[in-house]
Amino acid sequence: MKVIVRSILDRIRFLVRTRSALWIAFVGLVLALLPYVPRWPKWASLLIGLAGLALAAWSMFWEAWVQARVSRDYRLVERNPVFQVPPKVASPTSQVIETTRGHMVHDPVVDARLSGGWTARWDPRKYELPEKLREVAPYVLDKTTSGHWNFNGLCVRLSSDLNGSSSQDVWFQPASFFDHLCSNELMRWEVAPKGESWDIRHEFFLDREDQLNSVSNSRLANIVGCSTLAITTDDKVLVVGQTTGNHSSGGLLAPSGSGSLEPKDVHDGWGLEEVVLNGAVRELVEETGLDLTQVAGSRLTMFGRWLEKGGKPEFFCITALTVDARTADVHRRATKSEEKLYVADVEWLDLAGINQHEAVATRSSLPLTAALAALDQALAAEPGLLDKLRASRNPVM
């Protein structure tokens, strides 16, 4: 019941923020309650109460009319596959990790710079959906979350680029999960207005050359994903089986810790790697119940953009543990109730030959596939990396 109530309240708050009519209705209800304040003159109470009721009734009628019009004028059809041909990417050094479940584009030149050189900056202004997306937000939210109790958690938006010519400052700002659902997630849906042509991808996803829009030019929510692979002293990799209620990769295997960067993870002036590791290790501890004292050290290894999700930014990390898999299991805490909505089970896989493991071959999510590719890339560049991380004894959070 607690989960359902929280989900409903999150949805109401989001709709109030995106629909001005609901704000007016809220003001009307407040006015209607003011007459009950003691010592109001009777005539003032009557006028205020009538004004509040009239305002609330008018705004509710207005909102009902708008929603009826949207439902009548739009239809939402899921694209399958999302891309007939994946969009082009501007950088000549970029590579695409391609699976049957999606595409992750990354640049090895950028990946090599992730451990230093960029500073995180915080912009406190909250991201706002563009007007055209705000207009269809309630309809989109209803269609894309049907049957799921999603929470509108506060996340972090990336608003600047990471490339060879980008600034040393990487800017983040607050955004919400529902902002993501009503912007980035729309790229896998055809929003078809009746009587007019709305090419939502060319307006919000692609640039004039039909290439993937840069992050700095994108008007989508672009909330930041962060994942890490936890590896034990006996070279076991922890993977997480996700429940079918998980929005991104329901029923599939995910990295050891996988989720979204949150405002509490970002500290203005910290290094980019420090900020991302803060979020990734937090997700690892929350989802698996591992003890933070078992974390030796971590490394940020890859920055990618998930094409099927409008170029959503994704960071991938490696975390070396101080214990073997058996010891880690003995001391793991039970998964918290909220995380149980998304975590079905955890499994240890051998690092050697992990890509050929049957579970990975058949159930790997795109984030897990990308995380394993990032691991291979990092170990090829620095074969002794895991030993170096185990010796560092520098957990974050």
Side-chain angles (χ1 to χ4, degrees):
M1 180 58 70
K2 180 181 177 181
V3 169
I4 296 174
V5 170
R6 179 182 167 187
S7 179
I8 291 173
L9 290 176
D10 277 356
R11 186 175 296 240
I12 291 173
R13 282 193 291 265
F14 178 77
L15 293 177
V16 167
R17 186 167 64 85
T18 57
R19 308 302 300 181
S20 56
L22 292 177
W23 270 114
I24 297 172
F26 175 75
V27 172
L29 289 173
V30 170
L31 289 176
L33 292 173
L34 282 179
Y36 294 97
V37 176
R39 298 181 182 178
W40 278 101
K42 289 185 178 181
W43 61 268
S45 297
L46 179 62
L47 288 178
I48 292 172
L50 290 175
L53 288 173
L55 193 62
W58 174 75
S59 59
M60 291 175 69
F61 172 79
W62 177 22
E63 182 64 20
W65 178 81
V66 168
Q67 288 308 300
R69 188 197 69 184
V70 169
S71 298
R72 182 180 67 250
D73 292 347
Y74 289 88
R75 59 187 176 88
L76 207 60
V77 181
E78 189 167 12
R79 292 184 172 101
N80 190 17
V82 176
F83 298 112
Q84 296 296 335
V85 178
K88 297 176 290 184
V89 182
S91 172
T93 56
S94 290
Q95 299 176 1
V96 178
I97 299 170
E98 181 177 356
T99 75
T100 57
R101 296 186 172 101
H103 301 74
M104 188 77 67
V105 60
H106 74 105
D107 188 338
V109 175
V110 173
D111 297 339
R113 292 184 56 200
L114 290 174
S115 289
W118 278 301
T119 302
R121 296 298 181 190
W122 182 250
D123 178 358
R125 296 173 298 178
K126 195 171 188 302
Y127 166 79
E128 295 290 342
L129 285 169
E131 183 177 355
K132 291 187 74 171
L133 297 183
R134 196 162 58 243
E135 180 181 341
V136 299
Y139 176 70
V140 169
L141 196 62
D142 179 62
K143 293 294 182 181
T144 59
T145 62
S146 179
H148 297 286
W149 298 109
N150 295 107
F151 301 147
N152 190 31
L154 197 57
C155 304
V156 171
R157 178 180 191 254
L158 180 65
S159 56
S160 58
D161 298 308
L162 274 74
N163 53 50
S165 60
S166 63
S167 165
Q168 296 297 302
D169 292 335
V170 179
W171 285 91
F172 297 99
Q173 66 180 125
S176 76
F177 180 65
F178 285 176
D179 289 329
H180 164 75
L181 291 180
C182 295
S183 59
N184 288 75
E185 287 286 346
L186 271 181
M187 301 307 108
R188 67 186 182 93
W189 297 87
E190 179 185 355
V191 184
K194 298 177 182 177
E196 63 176 289
S197 177
W198 185 19
D199 192 343
I200 190 170
R201 293 190 178 193
H202 278 86
E203 187 167 353
F204 292 102
F205 181 48
L206 304 174
D207 63 17
R208 294 179 179 178
E209 282 75 41
D210 284 345
Q211 296 175 336
L212 173 65
N213 236 335
S214 65
V215 175
S216 59
N217 288 330
S218 174
R219 292 183 290 158
L220 302 176
N222 290 328
I223 63 173
V224 179
C226 53
S227 303
T228 192
L229 288 173
I231 304 172
T232 61
T233 55
D234 55 344
D235 287 336
K236 302 287 186 180
V237 181
L238 185 63
V239 295
V240 173
Q242 302 199 323
T243 64
T244 55
N246 190 288
H247 183 80
S248 290
S249 304
L252 302 177
L253 294 179
S256 317
S258 182
S260 297
L261 209 61
E262 297 180 4
K264 63 184 178 183
D265 301 320
V266 183
H267 296 261
D268 191 83
W270 279 19
L272 172 64
E273 182 178 39
E274 193 174 6
V275 165
V276 174
L277 293 180
N278 206 38
V281 173
R282 173 185 52 76
E283 290 287 348
L284 171 66
V285 171
E286 290 176 355
E287 292 185 356
T288 66
L290 285 172
D291 196 303
L292 185 60
T293 61
Q294 298 173 342
V295 175
S298 300
R299 172 74 63 85
L300 175 57
T301 54
M302 181 183 287
F303 168 69
R305 298 186 65 191
W306 193 337
L307 297 185
E308 281 73 15
K309 295 183 181 294
K312 180 181 181 294
E314 297 281 344
F315 288 99
F316 299 95
C317 313
I318 302 171
T319 296
L321 302 180
T322 61
V323 295
D324 59 26
R326 182 177 178 278
T327 305
D329 273 340
V330 168
H331 295 283
R332 276 199 311 116
R333 298 186 304 276
T335 305
K336 293 181 179 179
S337 58
E338 288 187 2
E339 293 296 335
K340 287 181 179 179
L341 291 173
Y342 312 112
V343 177
D345 54 24
V346 298
E347 184 176 352
W348 296 101
L349 303 179
D350 289 326
L351 176 59
I354 190 171
N355 288 300
Q356 283 71 50
H357 195 285
E358 182 181 359
V360 172
T362 58
R363 296 175 53 209
S364 180
S365 63
L366 180 57
L368 178 57
T369 301
L372 291 172
L375 175 63
D376 288 343
Q377 176 179 277
L379 294 181
E382 192 175 351
L385 177 59
L386 289 176
D387 290 334
K388 183 178 179 180
L389 293 177
R390 289 185 186 115
S392 68
R393 300 285 175 159
N394 185 32
V396 293
M397 289 179 64

